[in-house]
Amino acid sequence: EAGVAQSPRYKIIEKRQSVAFWCNPISGHATLYWYQQILGQGPKLLIQFQNNGVVDDSQLPKDRFSAERLKGVDSTLKIQPAKLEDSAVYLCASSFGLDLFEQYFGPGTRLTVT
Amino acid sequence: GENVEQHPSTLSVQEGDSAVIKCTYSDSASNYFPWYKQELGKRPQLIIDIRSNVGEKKDQRIAVTLNKTAKHFSLHITETQPEDSAVYFCAEGGGNTPLVFGKGTRLSVIA
């Protein structure tokens, strides 16, 4: 089966600019996650969707980060404006359902903010 | 999940030896404990997971043990091989609560 797809793979922007990331989950997976992975750390959940509804966004910096999954399939994560500390790998993952199902990760987008 | 501590942060073993990585957690409601392997520049991949109704699970050279009373779980890799070198992350969660990941253990297997 096709895996989780993400684009772009790499992005370099200056601080205060905007950036958007795209994720296409595995077909049939209802749950989609966006994680931020800073170098040397484990993934940190930013937002979790169940179909097109938000399940958890408690760790999303809502003053600058936004995410949507309008049709319950693809999702976009946006940062506006970016800060230096946003430099990280942004991982998208999907799972079949909410309850303890294995999460499959995409290849990630490496963001560098200069 | 609330918080998970992972030790050690780095681990070097000789090829053929065993490696053990331990995680402790604080949320007594946690009931799902996966382990992920992440090679340099690649995505995390699930290697084994355990649920709270089981104390131990094995898959070839990999095993995970869970002690719910003490709130810790461990990854055991036997007969290590150079291709086992990677960063390993534990995670914990429960029901509808999101997974919380540890900070990772960088395992180096020396040939």
Side-chain angles (χ1 to χ4, degrees):
Chain A
E1 75 187 353
V4 176
Q6 288 187 247
S7 67
R9 293 294 312 279
Y10 306 91
K11 190 75 178 179
I12 301 173
I13 61 172
E14 295 182 352
K15 60 184 178 183
R16 291 187 289 275
Q17 286 187 323
S18 302
V19 65
F21 312 128
W22 173 83
C23 173
N24 179 243
I26 292 172
S27 177
H29 280 193
T31 311
L32 185 146
Y33 314 79
W34 282 103
Y35 289 90
Q36 180 192 59
Q37 186 175 26
I38 292 172
L39 188 65
Q41 297 184 19
K44 184 185 89 170
L45 182 72
L46 293 174
I47 189 167
Q48 177 180 344
F49 291 94
Q50 176 72 3
N51 296 310
N52 61 350
V54 175
V55 174
D56 189 309
D57 63 356
S58 57
Q59 298 193 87
L60 186 74
K62 298 181 186 65
D63 58 332
R64 298 185 301 106
F65 286 64
S66 64
E68 60 184 16
R69 193 185 184 201
L70 292 176
K71 296 184 179 178
V73 181
D74 293 4
S75 177
T76 55
L77 175 70
K78 296 179 182 177
I79 307 175
Q80 180 180 10
K83 292 185 175 182
L84 296 177
E85 57 261 36
D86 298 333
S87 294
V89 175
Y90 290 84
L91 293 162
C92 178
S94 70
S95 65
F96 184 74
L98 263 180
D99 190 22
L100 311 184
F101 284 96
E102 176 179 350
Q103 295 186 23
Y104 294 84
F105 283 86
T109 297
R110 182 176 298 278
L111 173 68
T112 302
V113 183
T114 62
Chain B
E2 294 174 355
N3 185 43
V4 58
E5 293 191 6
Q6 183 171 347
H7 298 281
S9 57
T10 60
L11 179 60
S12 291
V13 299
Q14 292 289 328
E15 182 179 359
D17 287 351
S18 296
V20 180
I21 304 170
K22 184 175 176 179
C23 285
T24 58
Y25 62 98
S26 56
D27 188 352
S28 55
S30 297
N31 55 15
Y32 178 59
F33 308 90
W35 286 89
Y36 283 82
K37 176 183 180 182
Q38 188 174 30
E39 296 178 58
L40 189 62
K42 297 193 176 179
R43 73 192 76 187
Q45 290 196 303
L46 181 75
I47 55 171
I48 196 166
D49 58 10
I50 193 167
R51 300 174 196 272
S52 60
N53 57 345
V54 176
E56 182 176 357
K57 184 176 178 181
K58 268 187 117 172
D59 183 3
Q60 299 182 343
R61 296 185 298 108
I62 295 172
V64 57
T65 58
L66 170 65
N67 184 327
K68 281 221 82 178
T69 303
K71 294 183 188 165
H72 65 72
F73 56 111
S74 300
L75 177 71
H76 304 253
I77 306 174
T78 59
E79 299 171 29
T80 54
Q81 301 167 4
E83 50 266 37
D84 294 330
S85 296
V87 178
Y88 291 82
F89 293 99
C90 64
E92 54 92 10
N96 293 336
T97 60
L99 285 180
V100 176
F101 285 79
K103 291 190 174 181
T105 296
R106 182 174 299 279
L107 174 65
S108 299
V109 180
I110 304 162

